[in-house]
Amino acid sequence: QGLGDQADSWVSNGPNKQIAPGDLANALGADQINQLASQSGLSREELLQGLSQHLPDVVNHLTPDGRLPDENELSARI
């Protein structure tokens, strides 16, 4: 969805680029956002704001080696 540069910055070592709530909305799509909002009990706006604020750090934490972890590594980090 044109956000590869931001996502790459979260995985790689170095500063994380921010992502706007509207960009996340476009990348995830309405169905996914509605499902996540329903499951979390948050409004659409609260969900997107929280994701835009915390998603870069979460992805960065799960990828400390600058690459996507395999299934075993991911299980150990969660």
Side-chain angles (χ1 to χ4, degrees):
Q1 298 288 334
L3 301 173
D5 192 41
Q6 283 95 333
D8 287 343
S9 78
W10 308 341
V11 173
S12 66
N13 296 320
N16 294 329
K17 293 185 179 181
Q18 297 300 309
I19 187 164
D23 290 338
L24 268 176
N26 291 335
L28 294 174
D31 290 341
Q32 185 69 36
I33 294 167
N34 291 338
Q35 182 179 3
L36 290 170
S38 175
Q39 290 173 346
S40 68
L42 298 171
S43 71
R44 183 178 194 279
E45 292 76 25
E46 291 170 323
L47 175 74
L48 289 171
Q49 184 63 39
L51 284 175
S52 70
Q53 188 173 30
H54 298 292
L55 187 61
D57 291 333
V58 169
V59 172
N60 188 59
H61 175 74
L62 294 173
T63 58
D65 301 322
R67 62 175 177 78
L68 294 175
D70 65 28
E71 190 174 319
N72 291 331
E73 292 170 322
L74 184 59
S75 294
R77 292 178 187 160
I78 295 178

